[in-house]
Amino acid sequence: MLSDLRGVIPPISTPFDAQGNVIHAALAEIVEFQIAAGVHGLIPGGSTGEGHTFEREDFARMFETVAKTNRGRLPLLAGLIVNSTQEAIIRGRIARDLGAQGLQVTPVHYLFKPDEEATLAHFRAVAEGTGLPILIYNVIPWNYLSPALLLRIMREVPGVVGVKQSSGDLKLLADLVLQARPQDLIFTAIDALLYPSYALGARGTISALPAASPHANVALWDAVQRGDHATAKALHERLLVLWNALSAENLPANVKYALACQGVPSGLSRAPMPMPDAARQAAIRAGLEGLGVTLRKAA
């Protein structure tokens, strides 16, 4: 059950070698790094983990490594970024059998956009076909689900328990939080505005910034929970500098570089995503230094 899920839940990075193969030993080290930082859950297979690049067997082996490393210590959800109801169910069952407690599922995201009834039917079928609770990953620009539709799906499909709201529009998140029921799990993925998202009532975050800097993000969450808004605002300002350095079309690769600067083996991104150039690397290192991170030479 995910009813108590809250806090900082990074969509963890996936390390690849130069041939595009998962480096499983490095993946295990990333999991341990996140757990040691005090995060509250893990989601492999999300956008930051380049889940859109995985074939089915690849996905299964990656998720198995994460589950075995986690050993039940933290809530574990599987990110599903696929383009058919059938494939979402198949991968959801794979993750369930390997120990997933829930799923983070995008709307269908290729060229064609299903209407509202088909979208509702999609999430109903995945929930019923896997038996796992679902967070809707509301991120697809040309199939972006309105607060009204998200609320309808949560009310009509018992297996859909929440939303990861990934638009940069804080007003949409505020509307969703305002109209949601107490049991609805509304998470923010507005990396630049995590502090105000928490203040508005988000249950936590599932976003790239904690994947790159979990310690500071846990500190931010903790500060808001204890009502220490002066500390939270100061952390927000320093985290925003790092986010501005990370935020680019090659965001997953930039997260990898940030991890490498902290001594975490993080590998490469899958082609054709490029690793950060020298200017981006310098900005990322400066952002980490501003958070008090002791930097190491990135591999």
Side-chain angles (χ1 to χ4, degrees), residues 37 47 59 63 102 144 152 161-162 164 170 199 214 223:
S47 300
F59 168 83
F63 194 85
Y144 201 75
R152 180 189 171 199
V161 300
K164 170 183 170 178
L170 196 61

Side-chain angles (χ1 to χ4, degrees), residues 9-16 20-23 27 30-31 34 42-55 58-59 62-63 66 77-81 91 104 137 164 206-212 250-256 259 266-271 273:
I9 304 168
I12 61 173
S13 186
T14 310
F16 301 104
N21 301 307
V22 176
I23 308 172
L27 177 58
I30 289 172
V31 171
Q34 296 288 347
L42 300 168
I43 300 185
S47 300
T48 304
E50 298 171 72
H52 55 287
T53 70
F54 280 97
E55 300 295 333
D58 227 10
F59 168 83
M62 175 277 297
F63 194 85
V66 175
L77 291 79
L80 302 185
I81 307 177
R91 295 198 192 196
Q104 174 188 275
Y137 180 13
K164 170 183 170 178
I206 305 167
S207 55
L209 187 56
N250 63 334
L251 173 60
N254 295 336
V255 169
K256 286 182 167 71
L259 290 172
S266 52
L268 304 172
S269 282
R270 273 184 164 162
M273 183 176 292

Side-chain angles (χ1 to χ4, degrees), residues 1 46 60 70 80 92 97 102 105 112 126 129 178 185 194 199 212 217 223 229 240 251-252 258 271 288:
M1 295 296 292
N70 181 44
L80 302 185
D97 294 345
V105 184
F112 307 109
V126 176
L178 180 66
L185 308 181
L194 297 182
N217 276 275
H229 290 280
L240 184 56
L251 173 60
L288 290 169

Side-chain angles (χ1 to χ4, degrees), residues 10 196 284 290:
I284 292 169

Side-chain angles (χ1 to χ4, degrees), residues 101-117:
Q101 295 164 269
L103 304 172
Q104 174 188 275
V105 184
T106 62
V108 174
H109 57 282
Y110 184 56
L111 179 63
F112 307 109
K113 176 181 176 179
D115 62 20
E116 289 196 3
E117 296 303 322

Side-chain angles (χ1 to χ4, degrees), residues 274-294:
M275 296 301 288
D277 60 20
R280 182 73 60 179
Q281 290 179 20
I284 292 169
R285 292 177 71 86
L288 290 169
E289 285 180 323
L291 291 166
V293 174
T294 299

Side-chain angles (χ1 to χ4, degrees), residues 214-225:
H215 297 82
N217 276 275
V218 170
L220 172 62
W221 170 258
D222 289 345
V224 176
Q225 300 316 297

Side-chain angles (χ1 to χ4, degrees), residues 69-80:
T69 306
N70 181 44
R71 302 192 308 278
R73 288 176 284 176
L74 292 179
L76 178 62
L77 291 79
L80 302 185

